[in-house]
Amino acid sequence: MIYSPRGVEDILPSKTPLYQWVEKQAERLFQLYGFEEIRTPIFEKTELFLRTVGQETDVGKQMYTFKDKRGRSLSLRPEATASIARAYLEHKLNSKRGEWRVYYMGPMFRYERPQAHRLREFRQIGVEVIGQESPWLDVEIIEMAFQLLRKLGIASFDLHLNYLGCQKCRKRYVEELKQYFSSKVQYLCSVCQQRYQTNLLRILDCKKAQCRQVTEKAPEIITYLCPDCQEKFSRLQEGLTFMKIPFILDHQLVRGLDYYTRTIFEITSTQLGAQDAICGGGRYDDLIEELGGPSTPAIGFSLGVERLLATLNNPDTERQMRVRPLLYIATVGEEAKKVGIHLVTLGRSLGMRASLNLYSKGLSWQLKSAHRAGASWVVMVGEDEIRRGEYILRDMYSGEQKQVTESELEGIMRDLGQERKVKS
RNA sequence: GUGGGCGUAGCUCAGUUGGUUAGAGCACUGGACUGUGGCUCCAGAUGUCGGGGGUUCGAAUCCCCUCGCUCACCCCA
């Protein structure tokens, strides 16, 4: 017996309607905001992610990397933004004509120790807007994320917000921070001592008590923002307040990807436990340029689908997925199966969802099976019916049944098929 | 990478001073109802007790190893 690899899971038919429902809600909403779908490859050259995500970040270290037959290093995508930025440049979609708004949904891969709401293959839904620097866009994007969460019926969540500034202010800040930490390195945990060399900002959100003591009094980036960033940050807060979007300013918030600039945010569910981040995003105004393109501002976010579903307290699959009524054809004898294949095909051609029983079982078993399948009607075909040229049609809700000729049955199936079309 | 918890029927789980044939509920199969579902009743089938080794007259139970799952740290969606 071969089992699935660690950290991945099958989404069985009992669960897929929920995924479809979430995806549909997201799609509809994003389209209202002017987004179009993009589908990028599941794997890319490893180099792309190392350049964008960052080599020293956790996400960078958690990649599924492999060599192809020519020895080229490829990696399964740990996130989508890098691919989208790459595609933007590769297809020369410059921003002169305005912003480029795209959304995506699909699996991402990170090699981590699996735990509740953290898998090695997980699905994300996200958006990116490339070519717009206005902080009002940040408001629009965050507002859209809120809309989606509300639409999905996710009740309690918090928006954590921070502002990292641009290269200029960050440079001054990092210098200041380095100076501040220089005398205190010995008080930091071993990981942070490493970070002092490679990834200074990460020290800020280290959860260890010993590091907390040091970071508590560390200078905050807010006080080092350049006039332009200050202006943008206050516009952002003004906009969020104006749109009645509550947020929590969190100066310790530093995201796990190197490319972020200015606005960063994370939405956490208050009912998930340890892995509570259901949405994360922010600006990456320098990324396109770092990839060799013109200086182009951009912003995006992504949501973890599994985590979204985990916050839905009562995922009622039946209600989410309204399925068509089912016509079940029960047969007794080989000759009846032959008639059955004809009838089931006829029904389907008239727009009915129909299924044909091929097991050589008694009627009792077949009705039970029809009931289990949720059939609304059962047509019974046996030797007597074939001889008479009339089949038995049973209404599975009332239990009433009557004899119908094939042309009568055809009429009924046409009505039922039609009726459904009008409703949907 | 570091810790904790757990692996008994298809599923959820009982099963302590180690003692005959390892249990329940749900699901399943058959019957009451021999060509008519849901409800009820009756009957039945089901296990390498995760795997390997050890202790013992005897191990699901105790010890060691191993695999798997799970939760947490870390980090993130």
Side-chain angles (χ1 to χ4, degrees):
Chain A
M1 179 68 200
I2 298 171
Y3 296 93
S4 59
R6 187 153 206 223
V8 303
E9 64 179 9
D10 299 307
I11 302 168
L12 297 173
S14 59
K15 274 281 169 53
T16 46
L18 276 168
Y19 281 81
Q20 289 170 352
W21 173 71
V22 168
E23 286 163 7
K24 186 145 247 160
Q25 298 299 311
E27 237 159 49
R28 280 190 189 152
L29 188 76
F30 294 161
Q31 280 166 7
L32 293 182
Y33 285 74
F35 286 82
E36 296 173 302
E37 188 184 6
I38 183 170
R39 300 190 188 191
T40 58
I42 297 284
F43 60 87
E44 297 270 2
K45 289 183 182 166
T46 302
E47 198 192 339
L48 174 69
F49 298 122
L50 292 182
R51 289 262 294 277
T52 56
V53 169
Q55 260 187 75
E56 288 304 321
T57 61
D58 294 282
V59 174
K61 289 173 187 159
Q62 291 161 347
M63 284 196 297
Y64 265 96
T65 298
F66 58 96
K67 290 228 187 326
D68 72 3
K69 292 188 179 183
R70 283 274 179 91
R72 289 170 285 227
S73 182
L74 302 171
S75 295
L76 298 182
R77 58 184 190 189
E79 55 102 40
T81 305
S83 299
I84 290 170
R86 194 221 76 233
Y88 176 82
L89 286 173
E90 191 162 328
H91 301 285
K92 301 184 169 51
L93 305 158
N94 67 53
S95 62
K96 298 253 166 63
R97 281 171 292 175
E99 317 147 9
W100 193 49
R101 296 185 166 221
V102 289
Y103 71 86
Y104 59 87
M105 34 191 65
M108 306 294 160
F109 305 84
R110 291 180 199 175
Y111 190 93
E112 296 178 88
R113 196 85 168 255
Q115 72 184 67
H117 315 126
R118 188 175 75 185
L119 292 169
R120 290 182 174 179
E121 180 188 19
F122 59 100
R123 272 140 282 272
Q124 284 190 339
I125 293 177
V127 301
E128 311 289 349
V129 179
I130 300 182
Q132 178 59 261
E133 62 167 358
S134 168
W136 300 110
L137 172 64
D138 303 19
V139 177
E140 186 187 348
I141 292 300
I142 292 172
E143 192 272 335
M144 183 171 75
F146 263 62
Q147 285 291 340
L148 182 55
L149 294 178
R150 293 220 180 95
K151 212 169 168 179
L152 295 175
I154 293 163
S156 46
F157 51 84
D158 293 324
L159 168 63
H160 297 265
L161 187 73
N162 196 13
Y163 209 78
L164 297 179
C166 62
Q167 280 179 325
K168 273 178 282 175
C169 19
R170 183 123 56 128
K171 200 175 169 197
R172 279 207 303 153
Y173 175 61
V174 169
E175 274 166 19
E176 202 64 34
L177 203 59
K178 190 142 197 165
Q179 182 124 42
Y180 170 80
F181 280 131
S182 63
S183 61
K184 301 174 179 63
V185 177
Q186 67 265 34
Y187 301 117
L188 298 171
C189 70
S190 58
V191 182
C192 283
Q193 293 193 6
Q194 191 74 28
R195 285 174 178 153
Y196 179 74
Q197 300 297 334
T198 56
N199 205 343
L200 199 71
L201 287 175
R202 297 298 283 163
I203 300 175
L204 290 178
D205 69 351
C206 184
K207 306 291 189 298
K208 296 228 171 65
Q210 61 185 113
C211 299
R212 271 273 148 99
Q213 282 201 318
V214 180
T215 55
E216 248 175 28
K217 299 188 194 90
E220 293 182 351
I221 180 118
I222 305 301
T223 53
Y224 290 85
L225 293 181
C226 64
D228 183 42
C229 283
Q230 266 179 33
E231 161 79 11
K232 286 191 162 109
F233 186 38
S234 67
R235 285 292 184 204
L236 169 62
Q237 294 181 78
E238 185 189 337
L240 290 174
T241 308
F242 179 64
M243 296 302 287
K244 297 192 170 55
I245 295 169
F247 58 91
I248 300 164
L249 277 184
D250 184 352
H251 298 308
Q252 312 278 56
L253 178 66
V254 176
R255 312 216 60 252
L257 305 162
D258 273 355
Y259 54 65
Y260 282 112
T261 55
R262 296 199 171 94
T263 308
I264 57 167
F265 63 93
E266 214 167 85
I267 298 176
T268 56
S269 164
T270 52
Q271 45 185 331
L272 268 195
Q275 307 303 323
D276 63 350
I278 52 178
C279 174
R283 281 203 160 269
Y284 45 97
D285 291 339
D286 302 329
L287 181 65
I288 304 286
E289 191 172 0
E290 275 163 29
L291 286 176
S295 170
T296 311
I299 184 173
F301 69 71
S302 66
L303 298 116
V305 180
E306 284 79 4
R307 289 186 189 177
L308 282 180
L309 291 178
T311 63
L312 261 44
N313 21 14
N314 204 11
D316 189 346
T317 314
E318 303 265 337
R319 206 183 305 155
Q320 318 291 18
M321 244 349 241
R322 214 155 285 152
V323 280
R324 290 159 164 270
L326 174 68
L327 177 75
Y328 185 103
I329 297 176
T331 59
V332 179
E334 283 307 303
E335 209 46 38
K337 286 176 186 157
K338 186 171 152 194
V339 174
I341 188 77
H342 164 64
L343 291 179
V344 78
T345 306
L346 178 63
R348 289 166 182 161
S349 73
L350 295 169
M352 283 235 75
R353 183 164 71 109
S355 72
L356 170 67
N357 171 62
L358 292 177
Y359 289 101
S360 295
K361 295 274 196 175
L363 249 195
S364 186
W365 185 92
Q366 297 189 58
L367 278 166
K368 201 183 279 180
S369 142
H371 179 75
R372 260 200 295 259
S376 309
W377 294 275
V378 172
V379 174
M380 285 170 263
V381 185
E383 285 172 28
D384 296 349
E385 286 72 30
I386 295 173
R387 205 176 308 118
R388 254 185 285 124
E390 284 191 328
Y391 311 119
I392 300 168
L393 176 67
R394 181 182 180 87
D395 180 326
M396 289 296 276
Y397 296 113
S398 64
E400 286 167 19
Q401 51 187 53
K402 59 181 174 182
Q403 305 206 347
V404 292
T405 63
E406 184 175 320
S407 62
E408 282 169 342
L409 183 59
E410 187 176 341
I412 291 166
M413 292 195 294
R414 179 172 286 121
D415 285 350
L416 296 170
Q418 289 300 95
E419 190 187 351
R420 187 58 212 170
K421 269 183 204 154
V422 174
K423 266 197 217 160
S424 62

